[in-house]
């Protein structure tokens, strides 16, 4: 497989996707994809999207999207000064994002992130969402998101 994100297609998770061999190096993320992702999607707890190799059909990465509310008082005054004064603010959560170890270093993580942001933006035209929020599981993930201009919520580093 080539080293270009264009060698992948990103699509909603379906029963046709073989998830059993996915290995991101994070057991909780791998277990989620193989055991929980389909159920969460069917029950509308999260939208699950997979990056599939165009030639191989192998699941190379995935992300999830869901709706959340941010508590306004947890945000910085700089952020709040541009927003309506509501106690809770609608947001889209990128709850999980992972790339298989076999597909790292090819720009796929960034492609998945941009796909998630684009989907969040498009859905905000129908269902209000003022923010895209991520839940960085560790320092490596935090650095990845910060490289893409995400900022920390002061009350939740």
């Amino acid at each position: 497989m080539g080293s270009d994100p264009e060698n992948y297609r990103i699509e909603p998770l379906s029963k046709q996707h073989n998830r059993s061999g996915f290995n991101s190096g994070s057991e909780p993320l791998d277990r989620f994809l193989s055991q929980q992702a389909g159920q969460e999607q069917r029950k509308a707890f999260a939208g699950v999207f997979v990056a599939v190799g165009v030639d191989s059909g192998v699941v190379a990465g995935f992300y999830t999207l869901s709706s959340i509310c941010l508590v306004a008082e947890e945000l910085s005054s700089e952020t709040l000064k541009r927003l309506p004064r509501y106690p809770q603010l609608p947001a889209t959560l990128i709850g999980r994002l992972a790339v298989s170890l076999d597909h790292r270093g090819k720009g796929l993580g960034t492609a998945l992130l941009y796909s998630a942001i684009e989907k969040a933006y498009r859905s905000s035209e129908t269902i209000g969402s003022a923010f895209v929020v991520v839940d960085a599981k560790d320092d490596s993930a935090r650095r990845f998101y910060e490289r893409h201009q995400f900022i920390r919520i002061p009350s939740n580093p």
Side-chain angles (χ1 to χ4, degrees), residues 1-6 8 99 101-109 111:
M1 177 172 296
S3 61
D4 193 333
E6 285 136 19
Y8 305 93
V99 174
L101 292 173
D102 294 339
H103 298 269
R104 294 245 172 105
K106 300 176 181 182
L108 184 55

Side-chain angles (χ1 to χ4, degrees), residues 2 9 15 32 45 47 49 69 79 98 103 106 111 115-116 127 132:
R9 65 181 182 273
K15 291 180 181 178
F32 170 81
F45 281 96
F49 300 88
C69 282
T79 300
H103 298 269
K106 300 176 181 182
S115 172
I127 300 172
V132 174

Side-chain angles (χ1 to χ4, degrees), residues 8-154:
Y8 305 93
R9 65 181 182 273
I10 299 173
E11 57 195 28
L13 177 68
S14 73
K15 291 180 181 178
Q16 284 71 39
H17 295 117
N18 181 354
R19 301 169 275 159
S20 61
F22 184 82
N23 178 11
S24 68
S26 169
E27 191 273 331
L29 290 171
D30 299 345
R31 184 172 13 94
F32 170 81
L33 183 62
S34 68
Q35 298 176 12
Q36 295 172 259
Q39 182 177 356
E40 288 206 10
Q41 184 162 282
R42 284 189 302 278
K43 292 184 176 183
F45 281 96
V48 182
F49 300 88
V50 293
V52 178
V54 171
D55 296 329
S56 68
V58 171
V59 174
F62 76 96
Y63 65 85
T64 66
L65 294 175
S66 56
S67 298
I68 62 167
C69 282
L70 297 177
V71 177
E73 63 190 31
E74 293 181 350
L75 302 176
S76 71
S77 58
E78 182 69 23
T79 300
L80 290 174
K81 74 180 182 180
R82 299 176 279 136
L83 300 172
R85 301 206 183 271
Y86 295 123
Q88 295 182 329
L89 301 165
T92 301
L93 173 67
I94 302 172
R96 294 174 175 90
L97 187 152
V99 174
S100 168
L101 292 173
D102 294 339
H103 298 269
R104 294 245 172 105
K106 300 176 181 182
L108 184 55
T110 296
L112 287 166
L113 178 61
Y114 288 178
S115 172
I117 292 168
E118 179 184 3
K119 280 184 179 36
Y121 175 76
R122 280 191 275 137
S123 70
S124 74
E125 296 171 346
T126 306
I127 300 172
S129 178
F131 301 92
V132 174
V133 178
V134 298
D135 185 5
K137 303 294 184 198
D138 56 34
D139 285 339
S140 175
R142 179 188 49 77
R143 287 189 299 272
F144 170 78
Y145 291 119
E146 287 176 345
R147 279 194 306 273
H148 293 284
Q149 309 305 311
F150 280 79
I151 58 172
R152 293 183 192 193
I153 296 175

